[in-house]
Amino acid sequence: MAGEVTLRAALARPFLAATTTPQVAYVLLEAQPGAVLTQVRVPIHVCFVLDRSGSMKGEKIERLRQAVVRAIEQLNEQDIISIVIFDHRTEVLVPAQPVRQRAAILDLVHRIRDAGGTRIAPALEKGLQELQKMPQGVRRLVLLTDGQTEHEKECLLRADDAGRLGIPITALGIGKDWNEDLLIEMANRSRGGADYIAQPGEIVQYFQHTVQRAQQTTIQNSVLTLRLVQGVTPRAVWQVTPLIDNLGYQPIADRAVSVNLGELESGQIRALLIELVIDPRPMGTYRIGQAEISYDAPALQIQGEKTKIDIMLTFTADPAQLQQVNPNVMNIVEKVSAFKLQTRALQDLAVGDVSGATQKLKSAVTRLLNQGEVELAATMQQEIANLEQHGQMSSEGQKTIKFQGRKTVRLTDIELPKE
C-alpha cells in the first residue's frame, strides 16, 4: 500500500526571472515515514565497540560503563546486543545475543577496566562479525574512542565493509586527542554519523540517542530518483537534517540521477537541498522535474514501494513576485553556504593558507550570526583570533567547527529517555 512515506517539495524562490541566462534554483525536499509506521518496530542489533585504553582512565571509563547500561535498559528481549572492547588488543566481551540474560550482560559491562594502547581496526572487524550473526533487521555499530589509532587505512577498509553490509557506523570521539577526519570518513563510508563528545558526562546521552534512532528506523533501502526535464541540470544534492552532508548523485538515464538515502526514521524528517541549474524559459509555469523515492518497510512486509512528487517553477517579469522567498528554505540555503565556507577554510588551513582560511571563517561567522548560531559563531571568532595570532587553530576549536557546523538538528533538541 502507499502512504508509508510522505514527500514534500518547496522552492527557495517560487518565481524566477524570465531572463536570457541560466539561473540556480534551490529545492527543499522532505521525506518522512507516515503515521502508519509510528507504532511498529523491527528488532535491532546494536554492537558497541568501546575504547578501554589507558587514556580512558577515570571519569571517561566510568561514564562509558554507565552509558552502556542505560542503552541496554532501552532494549527489549527481541533486540540483540554485542559488545567489543579494545586497547591494543581486542576482546568480544558480549557475543551477539538477545537481551534476555540482562543481569549477566550488565555484570560484564561493570567489569570493563582501562588498560593498554589503541588499535581500532581489529575491533571494528570483530564488531562487524558479531553484527552479521543477525543479517536482518536494523543494525548499528557504535564506536567510542579517545585516542589516535594505528593503521588508519585498515579502519577505512572496515568502514567500506560496513557500508557494503548496510551497517551504519556511529563514530564518537571524546576529548581532544583523536583524529576527527578519520572518524568522519569512517562514518561517511558506512553511511553513518560521527560526532564530538566534549565532556565524559555526555556519553550517556549520545548512546541513548543512537539506540533511540535505531529503534525509530522503519524505512530501509530508500533511494531518491530525480527525473529532470531538458534544460535542467543537477549541481548538488545536500542532506540537511540531521547533518549537512554532500550526498552526491549517480546518473542512471538521460536527465535522471539517483541518490541512496538508506534508512528513514519514524517521527523524523529527512530533508534534502537540491541545487539545480535552470536554462532560460519564457514566462509561464513549468514542471521542471519529478522526485521519486523507492523504499522497503520490513515491519509491514512492503518492498519496492514508491512515492513521487512533481517540482513546479514559474518564470515571470513581475518585480513583486520575484521578491518572494520561502524563509525556511532560504535559511537552509544559508546554513549550507556557511558549511561550505567552513569546509573550504579548513581545506585552506590544511595546505598552509592561513590568510585564506581566516577570510572564509570570517564570512562564515557573518552567516552564522544571521541565522542565530551565536555559540558556534563565538567559537569560530576565537579560532580566527588563534589563526591571526599563532597561525593555527586549537584542537578543540577545530573539532567543534567540523562537527557543530554540520548540525541543523541539535542533540539537545531531541527528546531522549529520562535518566
Side-chain angles (χ1 to χ4, degrees), residues 179-334:
N179 184 345
E180 64 269 22
D181 294 325
L182 174 64
L183 264 59
I184 290 171
E185 183 62 19
M186 286 167 54
N188 289 343
R189 292 189 182 201
S190 67
R191 300 203 62 78
D195 216 333
Y196 167 37
I197 301 178
Q199 300 297 329
E202 298 173 353
I203 300 175
V204 173
Q205 191 179 33
Y206 273 90
F207 278 23
Q208 286 183 299
H209 178 222
T210 300
V211 171
Q212 183 187 61
R213 287 192 61 183
Q215 290 172 333
Q216 291 174 336
T217 297
T218 50
I219 296 295
Q220 294 182 304
N221 304 319
S222 64
V223 176
L224 167 67
T225 299
L226 286 175
R227 297 184 178 90
L228 304 170
V229 303
Q230 189 167 0
V232 179
T233 306
R235 193 167 72 172
V237 178
W238 294 88
Q239 175 180 281
V240 292
T241 59
L243 297 173
I244 298 174
D245 187 22
N246 190 342
L247 297 180
Y249 54 82
Q250 295 293 325
I252 56 173
D254 186 29
R255 299 193 300 276
V257 299
S258 72
V259 181
N260 183 12
L261 301 181
E263 300 173 336
L264 304 179
E265 301 158 21
S266 290
Q268 303 295 323
I269 295 172
R270 175 73 67 83
L272 309 173
L273 184 69
I274 303 167
E275 299 182 24
L276 301 173
V277 179
I278 314 288
D279 285 353
R281 275 174 169 72
M283 288 188 291
T285 299
Y286 302 88
R287 185 176 75 96
I288 60 171
Q290 182 185 77
E292 177 187 272
I293 289 184
S294 62
Y295 58 88
D296 299 337
L300 301 179
Q301 297 183 330
I302 290 172
Q303 189 171 8
E305 188 59 80
K306 297 178 180 179
T307 184
K308 56 190 175 183
I309 191 171
D310 289 337
I311 303 170
M312 309 297 293
L313 179 61
T314 299
F315 288 78
T316 182
D318 185 340
Q321 290 181 325
L322 292 173
Q323 292 298 313
Q324 293 184 28
V325 298
N326 183 314
N328 179 46
V329 184
M330 288 302 295
N331 183 51
I332 288 173
V333 171
E334 284 295 301

